[in-house]
Amino acid sequence: MFSTAFLDIPALQGASGTVTLPGSKSISNRVLLLSALCEGTTVVHDLLDSDDTRVMLAALRQLGCGVEVAGTTVTITGLGGRAWPTEAIEFFMGNAGTAMRPLTAALAVQGGDFTLKGVPRMHERPIGDLVDALRELGCAIDYLGNEGYPPLRVRQPSLQLDKPIPVRGDVSSQFLTALLMALPLAAQDRAITIEVVGELISKPYIEITLNLLARYGIQVERLGWERFVIPAGSRYQSPGTIHVEADASSASYFIALGAITKGDGIRIQGVGADSIQGDIRFMDAAEQMGAKITSGPNWLEIKRGAWPLKGITLDCNHIPDAAMTLAVMALYADGPTTLRNIASWRVKETDRIAAIAIESRKLGATVEEGPDWITIHPLPANQWQRASIHTYDDHRVAMCFSLAAFNADQVPVRIEDPKCVAKTFPDYFEALFSVAHTAAANIPVICIDGPTASGKGTLASRVAAQLGYHYLDSGALYRVTAHAALQAGLTLEATDEAAIAKLARSLPVRFEGEQVLLSNVDVTDAIRSEQGGMNASKVSVLPAVRDALVDLQHSFQRLPGLLADGRDMGTVIFPKAPLKVFLTASAAKRAERRHKQLISKGFSANIDALRADLEARDARDMSRSVAPLKPAQDALQLDNSSLTIEASVEQVMVWWQSRQVFGFPT
Ligand code: DC
């Protein structure tokens, strides 16, 4: 996940490949509860791993369900046909509405001595309409805090099932969903009727509930959207195995991506055209705009069809969330696009009509808006502007505007607060970058070099973390090469140059955070020692070895950008890098830092010896004929002898902004 203050997305040129999307939250938590309520074992594939599903799993374990988690596959052994717990249980529901509501209903109908609590915010989220409906049914529920809100205590009910149970439908469809999932527990010998009071909102979510109930053996009879009858003799039956569909709203960004970009197309794994989620109908709108979509069980493939896309006018009431994605597709169309009947956008995470209008205008677009509609005019070549997109803590704003990076003018796009995507899709940008591509010249590289122990590694990795960029520690590659050569029984001398170069060409090295793995073995400590540095210094003067490592180093230049640390980064490997920094510090200061570092790792060290050693190494490094230590001509020098790490990072960030690579103020 990108938890940086902003994410600069370089101009992108195409996209192709497969993305596997995270599971739908709504389906995940419903499936967990239904699996818990039936008899036998259900294997649930592709479950979403999020705060909300964790809360539900914890509750099911407390109830005595068998829960086995193996990655995204979870095996649930249900409670059906078994004795429910009789002891008092307290459940902690966090802030998970999709767990709190249906679990409350199921526990209240089944009965016991249960307390349901959550975080303070959960205690401000209304549940009164559900409690009223359950009380009507004969359930015993008490408010432990404020009337109408959790926490709640549930006791043994005395169910009265002879008259229809009224439930309000105009506040949250989750109340109806909760009743629909709980009442089959009580419908063994009589049909139970639910009557919706008020206009039912979010009908597609009720469709999901009904659909899943059918998968678990419960055929609810629906009379319009006012009356739902659970037939007598209803009994939960495990489907054995069930796949959680990927989130259809999340799919909209990749459907749009396939429609916008040239190439072999995008394949979305995890959701197909026959999805039970309402937002899947986004595909019809995307097709109208020009997308070519094919589909099979659990997959979609999207290619560019009409180009430019076609402007459309559409009533979007049935796909309120996914329709936002159409607004960004509209920038690539041949005429204006009008999205109608979207009043609900005004009361979502943010006022989404206003957000889309303001941010699209920043890009240069002409936008008109009304209380429940928006018209977006296409943005032709030569009119795109660099923009810093404000995201209003709204995941969908962030994901939508990332698609503006494919613009004809090849201007980059800055997304502020990119971590807001975590609400539904924590790894959205990683998924985007895994399929998007662009010319190497568009992927920024910042090079940082300097003498040994100048702190360049720390500086480079901190700057990388601030920008969300990849990090290349080229010194580590020489260290690992030397290590591998010694292991292979080679000397580090010129006589073995060809053999070492051969090893270096296909070095099985992997970086995982701070760890360096060679053939999956952790060699971090071995290569980070003083001896490891000496050995690296030896192999690094062999031209064939340097040459062998070039491709590997280039391969680190990946979206969204790279911090490259080491000797010839700015001169040989990435000579066109837009920012090069040469970091220095006095030998005394560097010896002091190295001393501290070694002591903290438990090595013994002598500060004077270290200083003499550093000075000797500087002299050798500067005078050697192969890749001598010297700043690139266009490097900016930074002496950090008296600077904190934070101050050095700040200086590099200021330089980076002032290079106007992205043209944004800090
Ligand atoms: O940065 P470091 O201490 O991990 O580097 C180890 C050795 O490798 C050092 O002697 C410099 C050399 N090196 C190099 O020649 N070229 C690079 N790009 C990086 C390191």
Side-chain angles (χ1 to χ4, degrees), residues 376-414:
I376 302 111
H377 295 262
L379 198 38
N382 301 320
Q383 292 186 25
W384 287 80
Q385 289 160 21
R386 289 160 189 247
S388 185
I389 301 295
H390 189 69
T391 50
Y392 311 85
D393 201 15
D394 185 341
H395 51 137
R396 301 209 182 281
V397 175
M399 294 191 276
C400 278
F401 280 97
S402 68
L403 299 173
F406 293 90
N407 62 81
D409 296 328
Q410 293 285 277
V411 296
V413 178
R414 173 169 289 183

Side-chain angles (χ1 to χ4, degrees), residues 426-644:
D427 291 333
Y428 170 73
F429 293 106
E430 285 84 346
L432 173 66
F433 295 144
S434 75
V435 288
H437 44 81
T438 194
N442 280 347
I443 305 178
V445 180
I446 302 176
C447 297
I448 298 189
D449 191 12
T452 188
S454 57
K456 59 188 191 306
T458 310
L459 176 62
S461 54
R462 294 277 186 102
V463 175
Q466 283 222 0
L467 292 167
Y469 284 4
H470 299 279
Y471 169 51
L472 165 60
D473 172 1
S474 63
L477 298 183
Y478 288 95
R479 287 169 184 259
V480 170
T481 301
H483 184 85
L486 290 173
Q487 271 193 333
L490 299 169
T491 70
L492 304 180
E493 310 301 330
T495 43
D496 282 336
E497 181 169 354
I500 304 171
K502 187 157 181 261
L503 269 181
R505 215 169 272 287
S506 52
L507 204 60
V509 66
R510 209 152 42 84
F511 292 86
E512 269 182 20
E514 303 274 284
Q515 275 189 350
V516 187
L517 304 163
L518 180 65
S519 301
N520 295 325
V521 178
D522 187 347
V523 294
T524 319
D525 288 343
I527 66 159
R528 294 285 177 217
S529 66
E530 288 301 285
Q531 186 60 48
M534 294 294 180
N535 294 341
S537 176
K538 284 189 187 161
V539 295
S540 71
V541 299
L542 305 173
V545 174
R546 298 200 76 82
D547 198 43
L549 288 172
V550 169
D551 287 349
L552 178 56
Q553 295 177 86
H554 282 161
S555 74
F556 280 79
Q557 188 185 4
R558 291 195 299 265
L559 288 167
L562 175 68
L563 254 289
D565 142 20
R567 183 62 36 87
D568 54 353
M569 293 300 102
T571 47
V572 177
I573 307 295
F574 301 110
K576 293 193 186 135
L579 176 63
K580 300 168 188 174
V581 176
F582 193 82
L583 191 65
T584 56
S586 65
K589 200 76 200 176
R590 286 185 284 136
E592 199 181 293
R593 290 179 188 155
R594 172 63 52 91
H595 184 252
K596 237 191 222 159
Q597 191 184 32
L598 289 171
I599 299 289
S600 75
K601 282 193 199 155
F603 295 111
S604 62
N606 174 301
I607 201 161
D608 295 326
L610 280 173
R611 179 173 170 170
D613 198 42
L614 282 176
E615 283 172 337
R617 198 140 134 203
D618 284 354
R620 202 173 56 232
D621 279 359
M622 280 189 279
S623 64
R624 76 189 204 186
S625 58
V626 180
L629 172 64
K630 69 167 191 319
Q633 258 183 352
D634 48 350
L636 298 176
Q637 301 241 5
L638 177 60
D639 185 330
N640 73 358
S641 302
S642 57
L643 291 181
T644 60

